[in-house]
Amino acid sequence: MGMIEQPYNAAREREEIVSRVASFKATQEKFEREREEYFVTTLQNARSGSEPHIRGTLEDPPFWS
C-alpha cells in the first residue's frame, strides 16, 4: 500500500465511523421519543379510563373472588 492510499483509507474509515455513530444516535433518539410518547399516552389513558380494557380491569373483580 502506498503512502497516499493509507491516509485516504484512514480518512474514509473515519468518515464511515462518524456516519454510523450518527445513524445509531438518531435511532436511539427515535426510540427514546417513541418510549416517551407511549408513556404519556398510556398514563393519559389510565387516568381518563378511556381504554376499555383498562376500565374493565379496574371494575371487574378478579376471577377468584
Side-chain angles (χ1 to χ4, degrees):
M1 190 180 298
M3 293 286 276
I4 294 174
E5 292 173 13
Q6 203 168 14
Y8 173 74
N9 285 337
R12 194 170 71 202
E13 287 177 14
R14 275 193 298 275
E15 287 174 12
E16 184 176 343
I17 291 169
V18 167
S19 174
R20 287 180 183 218
V21 168
S23 176
F24 177 80
K25 184 177 178 181
T27 300
Q28 294 302 306
E29 289 170 352
K30 176 183 170 229
F31 288 156
E32 185 173 348
R33 281 192 308 274
E34 289 174 353
R35 278 192 305 271
E36 288 172 2
E37 290 169 10
Y38 177 79
F39 170 78
V40 169
T41 301
T42 302
L43 188 60
Q44 288 171 342
N45 289 338
R47 286 180 174 164
S48 69
S50 64
E51 292 291 318
H53 68 276
I54 292 175
R55 258 198 322 269
T57 302
L58 295 176
E59 294 171 1
D60 296 339
F63 67 90
W64 59 84
S65 295

